Amino acid sequence: MTKADFISKVAQTSGLTKKDATAATDAVIATITEVLTKGDTISFIGFGTFSTAKRAARTARVPSTGKTIQVPATKVAKFKVGKNLKEAVAGGKVKKKK
């Protein structure tokens, strides 16, 4: 699914126009990005938690040449799946809000 497909689905599901769904989607993505950039976490109960983690510097080997290189330490985004999402994916069923 592309971002455009996602926005169409959000518009259809929520009753918003595609323009409003696009603005809402972009705002959500920007907010999650801002929170993670600051090093904070954001949790959606039942859906999951976005957080960051530090990866230590390490030595790696380039498979094609066999040469070893130093990979610098970095900060990466992580996502831990929540219970409801995990169960929905495993069972193939989507829980609808009432």
Side-chain angles (χ1 to χ4, degrees), residues 17-65:
T17 64
K18 282 192 180 181
K19 183 178 179 182
D20 289 341
T22 299
T25 301
D26 289 342
V28 168
I29 292 169
T31 303
I32 291 171
T33 302
E34 181 182 334
V35 168
L36 294 178
T37 301
K38 292 179 181 177
D40 294 334
T41 62
I42 184 164
S43 297
F44 297 99
I45 304 302
F47 181 75
T49 302
F50 293 92
S51 62
T52 59
K54 293 181 182 177
R55 281 205 184 139
R58 61 187 172 89
T59 303
R61 189 176 73 77
V62 179
S64 60
T65 63

Side-chain angles (χ1 to χ4, degrees), residues 6 13 71 83:
F6 180 79
T13 304
V71 179
K83 181 182 176 186

